[in-house]
PDB file of all heavy atoms in Angstrom:
ATOM      1  N   ASP A  92      -4.081  -6.782  17.718  1.00 89.00           N
ATOM      2  CA  ASP A  92      -4.748  -7.928  18.322  1.00 89.00           C
ATOM      3  C   ASP A  92      -6.144  -8.194  17.765  1.00 89.00           C
ATOM      4  O   ASP A  92      -6.950  -8.862  18.416  1.00 89.00           O
ATOM      5  CB  ASP A  92      -4.837  -7.738  19.841  1.00 89.00           C
ATOM      6  CG  ASP A  92      -3.462  -7.687  20.485  1.00 89.00           C
ATOM      7  OD1 ASP A  92      -2.576  -8.444  20.038  1.00 89.00           O
ATOM      8  OD2 ASP A  92      -3.264  -6.892  21.410  1.00 89.00           O
ATOM      9  N   LEU A  93      -6.434  -7.704  16.600  1.00 96.00           N
ATOM     10  CA  LEU A  93      -7.779  -7.852  16.042  1.00 96.00           C
ATOM     11  C   LEU A  93      -7.837  -9.044  15.086  1.00 96.00           C
ATOM     12  O   LEU A  93      -7.343  -8.980  13.966  1.00 96.00           O
ATOM     13  CB  LEU A  93      -8.191  -6.568  15.333  1.00 96.00           C
ATOM     14  CG  LEU A  93      -8.278  -5.345  16.241  1.00 96.00           C
ATOM     15  CD1 LEU A  93      -8.493  -4.091  15.419  1.00 96.00           C
ATOM     16  CD2 LEU A  93      -9.378  -5.517  17.275  1.00 96.00           C
ATOM     17  N   ASN A  94      -8.464 -10.117  15.543  1.00 95.00           N
ATOM     18  CA  ASN A  94      -8.544 -11.332  14.736  1.00 95.00           C
ATOM     19  C   ASN A  94      -9.590 -11.256  13.640  1.00 95.00           C
ATOM     20  O   ASN A  94      -9.599 -12.093  12.748  1.00 95.00           O
ATOM     21  CB  ASN A  94      -8.827 -12.536  15.637  1.00 95.00           C
ATOM     22  CG  ASN A  94      -7.672 -12.811  16.567  1.00 95.00           C
ATOM     23  OD1 ASN A  94      -6.517 -12.647  16.190  1.00 95.00           O
ATOM     24  ND2 ASN A  94      -7.981 -13.206  17.784  1.00 95.00           N
ATOM     25  N   ASN A  95     -10.471 -10.278  13.706  1.00 97.00           N
ATOM     26  CA  ASN A  95     -11.512 -10.140  12.683  1.00 97.00           C
ATOM     27  C   ASN A  95     -11.192  -9.012  11.695  1.00 97.00           C
ATOM     28  O   ASN A  95     -12.082  -8.434  11.094  1.00 97.00           O
ATOM     29  CB  ASN A  95     -12.885  -9.924  13.321  1.00 97.00           C
ATOM     30  CG  ASN A  95     -12.961  -8.672  14.182  1.00 97.00           C
ATOM     31  OD1 ASN A  95     -11.981  -8.259  14.786  1.00 97.00           O
ATOM     32  ND2 ASN A  95     -14.135  -8.068  14.241  1.00 97.00           N
ATOM     33  N   LEU A  96      -9.905  -8.740  11.520  1.00 97.00           N
ATOM     34  CA  LEU A  96      -9.467  -7.699  10.591  1.00 97.00           C
ATOM     35  C   LEU A  96      -8.431  -8.258   9.628  1.00 97.00           C
ATOM     36  O   LEU A  96      -7.393  -8.780  10.049  1.00 97.00           O
ATOM     37  CB  LEU A  96      -8.855  -6.518  11.352  1.00 97.00           C
ATOM     38  CG  LEU A  96      -8.210  -5.424  10.503  1.00 97.00           C
ATOM     39  CD1 LEU A  96      -9.235  -4.734   9.598  1.00 97.00           C
ATOM     40  CD2 LEU A  96      -7.502  -4.408  11.391  1.00 97.00           C
ATOM     41  N   ILE A  97      -8.729  -8.171   8.349  1.00 94.00           N
ATOM     42  CA  ILE A  97      -7.753  -8.467   7.304  1.00 94.00           C
ATOM     43  C   ILE A  97      -7.159  -7.124   6.902  1.00 94.00           C
ATOM     44  O   ILE A  97      -7.882  -6.228   6.475  1.00 94.00           O
ATOM     45  CB  ILE A  97      -8.419  -9.165   6.107  1.00 94.00           C
ATOM     46  CG1 ILE A  97      -9.071 -10.472   6.571  1.00 94.00           C
ATOM     47  CG2 ILE A  97      -7.402  -9.408   4.998  1.00 94.00           C
ATOM     48  CD1 ILE A  97      -9.986 -11.092   5.542  1.00 94.00           C
ATOM     49  N   PHE A  98      -5.861  -6.975   7.101  1.00 94.00           N
ATOM     50  CA  PHE A  98      -5.227  -5.663   7.014  1.00 94.00           C
ATOM     51  C   PHE A  98      -4.081  -5.695   5.998  1.00 94.00           C
ATOM     52  O   PHE A  98      -3.132  -6.447   6.148  1.00 94.00           O
ATOM     53  CB  PHE A  98      -4.679  -5.297   8.384  1.00 94.00           C
ATOM     54  CG  PHE A  98      -4.574  -3.830   8.658  1.00 94.00           C
ATOM     55  CD1 PHE A  98      -4.845  -3.341   9.917  1.00 94.00           C
ATOM     56  CD2 PHE A  98      -4.186  -2.938   7.684  1.00 94.00           C
ATOM     57  CE1 PHE A  98      -4.729  -1.995  10.202  1.00 94.00           C
ATOM     58  CE2 PHE A  98      -4.073  -1.584   7.949  1.00 94.00           C
ATOM     59  CZ  PHE A  98      -4.349  -1.122   9.218  1.00 94.00           C
ATOM     60  N   TYR A  99      -4.210  -4.878   4.974  1.00 92.00           N
ATOM     61  CA  TYR A  99      -3.189  -4.761   3.939  1.00 92.00           C
ATOM     62  C   TYR A  99      -2.400  -3.467   4.130  1.00 92.00           C
ATOM     63  O   TYR A  99      -2.997  -2.395   4.269  1.00 92.00           O
ATOM     64  CB  TYR A  99      -3.825  -4.684   2.550  1.00 92.00           C
ATOM     65  CG  TYR A  99      -4.432  -5.960   2.048  1.00 92.00           C
ATOM     66  CD1 TYR A  99      -5.723  -6.321   2.400  1.00 92.00           C
ATOM     67  CD2 TYR A  99      -3.717  -6.798   1.195  1.00 92.00           C
ATOM     68  CE1 TYR A  99      -6.291  -7.494   1.925  1.00 92.00           C
ATOM     69  CE2 TYR A  99      -4.275  -7.968   0.711  1.00 92.00           C
ATOM     70  CZ  TYR A  99      -5.557  -8.308   1.078  1.00 92.00           C
ATOM     71  OH  TYR A  99      -6.121  -9.456   0.604  1.00 92.00           O
TER      72      TYR A  99
END
Side-chain angles (χ1 to χ4, degrees):
D92 297 322
L93 298 172
N94 294 324
N95 60 329
L96 173 63
I97 301 168
F98 207 143
Y99 288 84

